[in-house]
Amino acid sequence: MRILVQKFGGSSVADLECMKKVRGKVLAAREEGFDKIVVVLSARAGQTNSLLERAYQWSDEPDLAELDVLLTTGEQESVALFAMLLQDAGVKARSILGFQIPIITDDAFGAARIDSIDATHLRELFEHYDVLVMAGFQGRTPDMRLTTLGRGGSDTSAVAIAAALGDGTLCDIYTDVDGVYTTDPRMCKAAHKMDRISYDEMLEMASMGAKVLQIRSVEIAEKYNVPVRVRSTFSNDPGTLLTKEDEMMESVLVSGIAFDKDQARITLYDVQDRPGTAASIFNPLGEAGIVVDMIIQTASRNGVTDMAFTVSRKDVKRAIAVLEKAGYDVSRIESASNIAKVSVVGVGMRNHSGVSGRVFDCLYKAGINLIMISTSEVKISCLVDEADLELAVNVMHKEFEL
């Protein structure tokens, strides 16, 4: 039995005309020979924000569990309406919510993580229906509380369902772009769509700021080897396939350029250069739920050193407050938000030398100052002045002939 999972975001189901286009994609997949289809839908465009606004009108600080109950109604509306649309076209379809499958999550309301999915009920429903219209973004705790998976959670829902169904189930993620590009076309006119990208490359690009897929969906796809295609709702382009890396991919030095404007640097001056200092800085930040990215420590001088790291811009004030509580002198802490991160990404870097030299050289020739640097085996990230970001993206895109 050939099974396809199709996920459509809020802009794809915004109104009746949009949903009719989505129905066309479903009917086309049936004609292509897929026996059964799971259509995963987000809330219609604007619905989640509208529900959030309403919650804060009713309550100054809404209970997170009750907020999840409210937010799940956005997807519930989408799937019910779309199931009606399919039924009117003669398709054996029905809607199904996350808790009915069930998708079991932890109790981190607002950003729950999936613990397990039992696909038995879905397979039973396939005996009576050809298309199941499933609410993305939602699940439930073991004690029957509704949860949501965070922004972009419908991507994760779709890939997780494909993984649970197994048997090579294909997952199509439909967006308002026709695939994954070498970089953002709005930043670089020379950017072009990639036919294929490895899981590791997509994971790095997503974590570096590319907004095409939610990071957790890529992690699940890689873990369970789910083939994922990123496609456009508004065209018939085959899109970009996420898959295991192969020799052809490894021969390509760099696959893409990612960037992230949501960066702020915090520098602690004259901290003690002794064992345990780093832990005294980063443990409290971690306990406060603040994600730290790039870290650099200067050479020791007379028993002290400087420690710099990056966080999300929204976390700057909170991070400084946490450090002050941990005993660090605020007068010796400096922050800067006029920065951005740009990264070259490619699995080919595992087997080729000289990439870092080319990155630094092309930025130097463009007159761009490097503030911080971090690397992994498939990426090199540079922190630059935000005013230099567009130039950095373009010169790196040109340097690696993308």
Side-chain angles (χ1 to χ4, degrees):
M1 182 168 62
R2 294 185 68 204
I3 303 175
L4 173 66
V5 176
Q6 295 177 306
K7 178 265 174 180
F8 297 91
S11 60
S12 297
V13 294
D15 54 33
L16 178 57
E17 291 307 311
C18 289
M19 281 200 182
K20 286 181 178 178
K21 291 177 182 177
V22 171
R23 182 176 64 180
K25 298 290 184 184
V26 176
L27 296 177
R30 293 280 293 155
E31 292 175 0
E32 289 171 16
F34 287 98
D35 302 297
K36 304 293 180 181
I37 299 173
V38 180
V39 181
V40 180
L41 300 183
S42 299
R44 295 191 302 124
Q47 287 295 93
T48 300
N49 287 339
S50 176
L51 290 168
L52 281 169
E53 289 175 8
R54 196 174 309 168
Y56 282 95
Q57 288 172 357
W58 259 252
S59 171
D60 291 334
E61 292 214 15
D63 178 83
L64 293 179
E66 298 302 340
L67 191 59
D68 273 4
V69 174
L70 177 65
L71 295 182
T72 56
T73 63
E75 283 69 29
Q76 185 168 332
E77 176 195 40
S78 293
V79 297
L81 290 172
F82 190 65
M84 297 174 195
L85 204 59
L86 288 175
Q87 291 165 0
D88 284 356
V91 178
K92 292 181 180 179
R94 65 155 285 182
S95 63
I96 184 168
L97 306 180
F99 80 90
Q100 294 174 304
I101 294 173
I103 296 176
I104 306 299
T105 74
D106 60 21
D107 61 358
F109 298 104
R113 299 186 73 88
I114 297 173
D115 288 333
S116 66
I117 298 177
D118 186 349
T120 303
H121 185 45
L122 288 179
R123 293 190 177 278
E124 291 172 348
L125 289 174
F126 275 147
E127 295 177 8
H128 307 283
Y129 302 95
D130 295 323
V131 179
L132 299 177
V133 186
M134 179 189 128
F137 178 65
Q138 57 180 244
R140 70 164 174 86
T141 65
D143 61 349
M144 299 298 289
R145 295 303 303 265
L146 295 179
T147 58
T148 64
L149 309 182
R151 288 288 186 177
S154 291
D155 290 350
T156 300
S157 300
V159 176
I161 284 294
L165 289 168
D167 299 328
T169 299
L170 177 64
C171 181
D172 282 351
I173 304 291
Y174 283 91
T175 69
D176 54 2
V177 295
D178 54 6
V180 181
Y181 278 69
T182 50
T183 194
D184 190 332
R186 295 168 296 183
M187 184 72 73
C188 176
K189 292 181 179 179
H192 62 86
K193 183 177 68 69
M194 293 181 276
D195 293 329
R196 296 198 303 164
I197 186 171
S198 74
Y199 296 123
D200 282 347
E201 289 170 329
M202 189 67 247
L203 192 59
E204 290 288 2
M205 292 189 74
S207 65
M208 291 300 107
K211 301 295 193 294
V212 179
L213 287 175
Q214 190 193 53
I215 294 173
R216 278 189 288 167
S217 69
V218 184
E219 292 173 342
I220 294 172
E222 180 173 29
K223 182 177 180 179
Y224 295 99
N225 194 26
V226 177
V228 177
R229 294 185 297 188
V230 179
R231 310 182 67 179
S232 171
T233 308
F234 309 105
S235 77
N236 293 318
D237 192 284
T240 300
L241 175 67
L242 273 68
T243 184
K244 284 183 176 180
E245 63 189 74
D246 55 29
E247 292 182 3
M248 183 179 297
M249 290 179 176
E250 291 174 355
S251 68
V252 178
L253 194 59
V254 170
S255 296
I257 310 294
F259 60 87
D260 186 1
K261 295 180 181 179
D262 182 26
Q263 293 284 300
R265 179 183 58 169
I266 295 176
T267 305
L268 282 73
Y269 293 100
D270 300 331
V271 298
Q272 294 298 310
D273 186 17
R274 62 190 180 198
T277 295
S280 71
I281 294 171
F282 298 113
N283 281 344
L285 293 171
E287 291 168 1
I290 297 171
V291 177
V292 174
D293 186 10
M294 307 171 79
I295 303 172
I296 190 169
Q297 180 177 335
T298 62
S300 179
R301 57 186 189 282
N302 301 319
V304 297
T305 184
D306 300 333
M307 187 83 72
F309 56 91
T310 60
V311 297
S312 171
R313 290 182 182 179
K314 65 179 175 59
D315 289 330
V316 172
K317 289 183 179 179
R318 194 157 60 94
I320 292 175
V322 168
L323 293 171
E324 183 180 16
K325 187 176 181 181
Y328 287 93
D329 184 357
V330 175
S331 67
R332 307 301 299 161
I333 301 175
E334 183 181 272
S335 65
S337 296
N338 60 334
I339 56 175
K341 180 171 58 178
V342 59
S343 310
V344 294
V345 178
V347 293
M349 282 191 268
R350 289 183 177 138
N351 304 314
H352 294 81
S353 61
V355 180
S356 57
R358 290 176 64 181
V359 169
F360 305 148
D361 188 54
C362 75
L363 293 177
Y364 164 72
K365 289 178 179 177
I368 299 171
N369 182 49
L370 299 184
I371 301 171
M372 296 175 71
I373 301 164
S374 71
T375 66
S376 76
E377 62 177 3
V378 296
K379 81 161 189 309
I380 298 172
S381 295
C382 302
L383 202 66
V384 300
D385 191 290
E386 186 176 11
D388 291 329
L389 177 60
E390 184 170 352
L391 177 59
V393 169
N394 279 272
V395 297
M396 290 166 75
H397 197 276
K398 182 178 180 180
E399 171 66 26
F400 292 100
E401 300 177 346
L402 299 177

